[in-house]
Coordinates of all heavy atoms in Angstrom, one line a residue:
Chain B
E93 N -11.8 2.4 26.1 CA -12.4 1.2 26.8 C -13.9 1.2 26.5 O -14.5 2.2 26.3 CB -12.2 1.3 28.3 CG -11.0 0.3 28.7 CD -10.9 0.4 30.2 OE1 -11.7 -0.3 30.9 OE2 -10.0 1.0 30.7
G94 N -14.4 0.0 26.3 CA -15.8 -0.1 26.0 C -16.2 -0.1 24.5 O -17.4 0.0 24.2
T95 N -15.2 -0.1 23.7 CA -15.5 -0.2 22.2 C -16.0 -1.6 21.9 O -15.3 -2.5 22.3 CB -14.2 0.1 21.4 OG1 -13.6 1.3 21.8 CG2 -14.5 0.2 19.9
T96 N -17.2 -1.6 21.4 CA -17.9 -2.9 21.3 C -17.3 -3.7 20.1 O -16.6 -3.2 19.2 CB -19.4 -2.8 21.0 OG1 -19.6 -2.1 19.8 CG2 -20.0 -1.9 22.1
L97 N -17.7 -5.0 20.0 CA -17.3 -5.9 18.9 C -17.7 -5.3 17.6 O -16.9 -5.3 16.6 CB -17.9 -7.3 19.1 CG -17.7 -8.3 18.0 CD1 -16.2 -8.6 17.9 CD2 -18.4 -9.6 18.3
W98 N -19.0 -4.9 17.5 CA -19.5 -4.4 16.2 C -18.7 -3.1 15.8 O -18.4 -3.0 14.6 CB -21.0 -4.0 16.3 CG -21.8 -5.2 16.1 CD1 -22.5 -5.9 17.1 CD2 -22.0 -5.9 14.9 NE1 -23.1 -7.0 16.5 CE2 -22.8 -7.1 15.2 CE3 -21.6 -5.7 13.6 CZ2 -23.2 -8.0 14.2 CZ3 -21.9 -6.6 12.6 CH2 -22.8 -7.7 12.9
Q99 N -18.4 -2.3 16.7 CA -17.6 -1.1 16.4 C -16.2 -1.5 15.9 O -15.7 -0.9 14.9 CB -17.5 -0.2 17.6 CG -18.9 0.4 18.0 CD -18.9 1.2 19.3 OE1 -18.0 1.0 20.1 NE2 -19.8 2.1 19.4
R100 N -15.6 -2.5 16.5 CA -14.3 -3.0 16.1 C -14.4 -3.5 14.7 O -13.5 -3.3 13.9 CB -13.8 -4.0 17.1 CG -13.3 -3.5 18.4 CD -13.1 -4.6 19.4 NE -12.8 -4.0 20.7 CZ -11.5 -3.8 21.2 NH1 -10.5 -4.1 20.4 NH2 -11.4 -3.3 22.3
L101 N -15.5 -4.3 14.4 CA -15.6 -4.9 13.1 C -15.7 -3.8 12.0 O -15.2 -4.0 10.9 CB -16.9 -5.7 13.0 CG -16.9 -7.1 13.8 CD1 -18.2 -7.7 13.8 CD2 -15.8 -8.0 13.2
I102 N -16.3 -2.7 12.3 CA -16.4 -1.6 11.3 C -15.1 -0.8 11.2 O -14.7 -0.5 10.1 CB -17.6 -0.6 11.7 CG1 -18.9 -1.4 11.6 CG2 -17.7 0.6 10.8 CD1 -20.1 -0.7 12.3
I103 N -14.5 -0.5 12.3 CA -13.2 0.3 12.3 C -12.2 -0.5 11.5 O -11.4 0.1 10.8 CB -12.7 0.5 13.8 CG1 -13.6 1.5 14.5 CG2 -11.3 1.0 13.8 CD1 -13.3 1.6 16.0
A104 N -12.2 -1.8 11.6 CA -11.2 -2.6 11.0 C -11.2 -2.5 9.4 O -10.1 -2.6 8.8 CB -11.4 -4.1 11.3
F105 N -12.3 -2.2 8.9 CA -12.5 -2.2 7.4 C -11.5 -1.2 6.7 O -11.0 -1.6 5.7 CB -14.0 -1.8 7.1 CG -14.2 -1.7 5.6 CD1 -14.2 -2.8 4.9 CD2 -14.4 -0.4 5.0 CE1 -14.4 -2.7 3.5 CE2 -14.6 -0.3 3.7 CZ -14.6 -1.5 2.9
A106 N -11.4 0.0 7.2 CA -10.5 0.9 6.5 C -9.3 1.3 7.3 O -8.9 2.5 7.3 CB -11.3 2.1 6.0
N107 N -8.7 0.4 8.0 CA -7.5 0.7 8.8 C -6.3 0.7 7.8 O -5.5 -0.2 7.8 CB -7.3 -0.3 9.9 CG -6.1 0.1 10.8 OD1 -5.8 1.3 10.9 ND2 -5.6 -0.9 11.5
T108 N -6.1 1.8 7.1 CA -5.0 1.9 6.1 C -3.8 2.5 6.8 O -3.9 3.0 7.9 CB -5.4 2.9 5.0 OG1 -5.5 4.2 5.5 CG2 -6.7 2.5 4.4
D109 N -2.7 2.6 6.1 CA -1.4 3.1 6.7 C -1.6 4.5 7.2 O -1.2 4.8 8.3 CB -0.3 3.1 5.6 CG -0.1 1.8 5.0 OD1 -1.0 1.3 4.3 OD2 1.0 1.3 5.1
E110 N -2.3 5.4 6.4 CA -2.4 6.8 6.7 C -3.4 7.0 7.8 O -3.2 7.8 8.7 CB -2.7 7.6 5.5 CG -1.7 7.7 4.4 CD -1.5 6.4 3.6 OE1 -2.4 5.5 3.7 OE2 -0.5 6.2 2.9
I111 N -4.5 6.3 7.7 CA -5.5 6.4 8.8 C -5.0 6.0 10.1 O -5.2 6.6 11.2 CB -6.8 5.7 8.4 CG1 -7.5 6.5 7.3 CG2 -7.7 5.5 9.6 CD1 -8.6 5.7 6.6
F112 N -4.3 4.9 10.1 CA -3.6 4.3 11.3 C -2.7 5.4 11.8 O -2.7 5.6 13.1 CB -2.9 3.0 10.9 CG -1.9 2.6 12.0 CD1 -2.5 2.0 13.2 CD2 -0.6 2.7 11.9 CE1 -1.6 1.5 14.2 CE2 0.3 2.3 12.9 CZ -0.2 1.7 14.0
A113 N -1.8 6.0 11.0 CA -0.8 6.9 11.5 C -1.5 8.1 12.1 O -1.1 8.6 13.2 CB 0.0 7.4 10.3
V114 N -2.6 8.6 11.5 CA -3.3 9.8 12.1 C -4.0 9.4 13.4 O -3.9 10.1 14.4 CB -4.3 10.3 11.1 CG1 -5.2 11.4 11.8 CG2 -3.6 11.0 9.9
A115 N -4.6 8.2 13.5 CA -5.2 7.7 14.7 C -4.2 7.6 15.8 O -4.5 8.0 17.0 CB -5.9 6.4 14.5
M116 N -3.0 7.1 15.5 CA -2.0 6.9 16.6 C -1.4 8.2 17.0 O -1.0 8.3 18.2 CB -0.9 5.9 16.0 CG -1.3 4.5 15.7 SD -2.3 3.7 17.1 CE -0.9 3.3 18.2
A117 N -1.4 9.2 16.1 CA -0.9 10.5 16.5 C -1.9 11.3 17.2 O -1.6 12.4 17.8 CB -0.4 11.2 15.2
H118 N -3.2 10.9 17.3 CA -4.2 11.6 18.0 C -3.8 11.7 19.5 O -3.4 10.7 20.1 CB -5.5 10.8 17.9 CG -6.7 11.6 18.2 ND1 -7.1 12.8 17.6 CD2 -7.7 11.4 19.1 CE1 -8.2 13.3 18.1 NE2 -8.6 12.4 19.0
T119 N -4.1 12.9 20.1 CA -3.6 13.1 21.5 C -4.3 12.2 22.5 O -3.6 11.7 23.4 CB -3.8 14.6 21.9 OG1 -5.1 15.0 21.4 CG2 -2.7 15.4 21.2
K120 N -5.6 11.9 22.3 CA -6.3 11.1 23.3 C -6.5 9.7 22.7 O -6.2 9.5 21.5 CB -7.7 11.7 23.6 CG -7.6 13.1 24.0 CD -9.1 13.6 24.1 CE -9.6 13.9 22.8 NZ -11.0 14.5 22.7
N121 N -7.0 8.8 23.5 CA -7.5 7.5 22.9 C -8.6 7.8 22.0 O -9.4 8.7 22.1 CB -8.0 6.6 24.1 CG -6.8 5.8 24.7 OD1 -5.6 5.9 24.3 ND2 -7.1 5.1 25.7
V122 N -8.7 6.9 20.9 CA -9.7 7.2 19.9 C -11.0 6.5 20.1 O -11.1 5.4 20.6 CB -9.2 6.9 18.5 CG1 -8.0 7.8 18.1 CG2 -8.8 5.4 18.4
T123 N -12.1 7.2 19.8 CA -13.5 6.7 20.0 C -14.0 6.2 18.7 O -13.4 6.5 17.6 CB -14.4 7.8 20.5 OG1 -14.5 8.8 19.4 CG2 -13.9 8.4 21.8
F124 N -15.1 5.4 18.7 CA -15.7 4.9 17.5 C -16.2 6.0 16.6 O -15.9 6.0 15.4 CB -16.9 4.0 17.9 CG -17.6 3.5 16.7 CD1 -17.0 2.6 15.8 CD2 -19.0 3.8 16.5 CE1 -17.7 2.1 14.7 CE2 -19.7 3.4 15.4 CZ -19.0 2.5 14.5
P125 N -16.9 7.1 17.1 CA -17.3 8.2 16.2 C -16.1 8.8 15.5 O -16.2 9.2 14.3 CB -18.1 9.1 17.1 CG -18.5 8.3 18.2 CD -17.5 7.3 18.4
Y126 N -15.0 9.0 16.2 CA -13.8 9.7 15.7 C -13.3 8.8 14.5 O -13.0 9.3 13.4 CB -12.8 9.9 16.7 CG -11.5 10.4 16.1 CD1 -11.4 11.8 15.8 CD2 -10.4 9.6 15.9 CE1 -10.2 12.3 15.3 CE2 -9.2 10.1 15.3 CZ -9.2 11.5 15.0 OH -8.0 12.0 14.4
M127 N -13.2 7.5 14.7 CA -12.6 6.6 13.7 C -13.5 6.6 12.5 O -13.1 6.6 11.3 CB -12.5 5.2 14.2 CG -11.3 5.1 15.2 SD -9.7 5.6 14.6 CE -9.4 4.5 13.2
L128 N -14.9 6.6 12.7 CA -15.8 6.6 11.6 C -15.7 7.9 10.8 O -15.7 7.8 9.5 CB -17.2 6.5 12.2 CG -18.3 5.8 11.4 CD1 -17.9 4.4 11.0 CD2 -19.7 5.9 12.1
G129 N -15.5 9.0 11.4 CA -15.3 10.3 10.7 C -14.0 10.3 10.0 O -14.0 10.7 8.8
L130 N -13.0 9.8 10.6 CA -11.6 9.8 10.0 C -11.6 8.9 8.8 O -10.9 9.3 7.8 CB -10.6 9.3 11.1 CG -9.2 9.2 10.7 CD1 -8.6 10.6 10.4 CD2 -8.3 8.5 11.7
Q131 N -12.3 7.8 8.8 CA -12.2 6.9 7.6 C -13.1 7.3 6.5 O -12.9 6.9 5.3 CB -12.6 5.5 8.1 CG -11.5 4.9 9.1 CD -11.9 3.6 9.6 OE1 -13.1 3.2 9.7 NE2 -10.9 2.8 10.0
S132 N -14.2 8.0 6.7 CA -15.3 8.1 5.7 C -14.8 8.9 4.5 O -15.0 8.4 3.3 CB -16.6 8.7 6.3 OG -16.2 9.8 7.1
L133 N -14.2 10.1 4.7 CA -13.7 10.9 3.5 C -12.6 10.1 2.7 O -12.7 10.1 1.5 CB -13.3 12.3 3.9 CG -14.4 13.3 4.2 CD1 -13.8 14.7 4.4 CD2 -15.4 13.3 3.0
P134 N -11.6 9.6 3.4 CA -10.6 8.8 2.6 C -11.2 7.7 1.8 O -10.8 7.5 0.6 CB -9.6 8.3 3.7 CG -9.7 9.3 4.8 CD -11.2 9.8 4.8
V135 N -12.1 6.9 2.3 CA -12.7 5.8 1.6 C -13.4 6.4 0.4 O -13.3 5.9 -0.8 CB -13.7 5.0 2.4 CG1 -14.4 4.0 1.6 CG2 -12.9 4.3 3.5

Side-chain angles (χ1 to χ4, degrees):
Chain B
E93 259 182 78
T95 307
T96 65
L97 175 65
W98 277 107
Q99 292 174 336
R100 285 168 188 266
L101 288 174
I102 294 168
I103 290 171
F105 176 71
N107 186 24
T108 67
D109 305 61
E110 292 75 14
I111 286 166
F112 168 76
V114 170
M116 295 308 282
H118 196 60
T119 44
K120 305 172 286 181
N121 276 356
V122 293
T123 61
F124 176 66
Y126 176 77
M127 287 306 295
L128 209 59
L130 182 64
Q131 293 175 332
S132 46
L133 283 184
V135 171

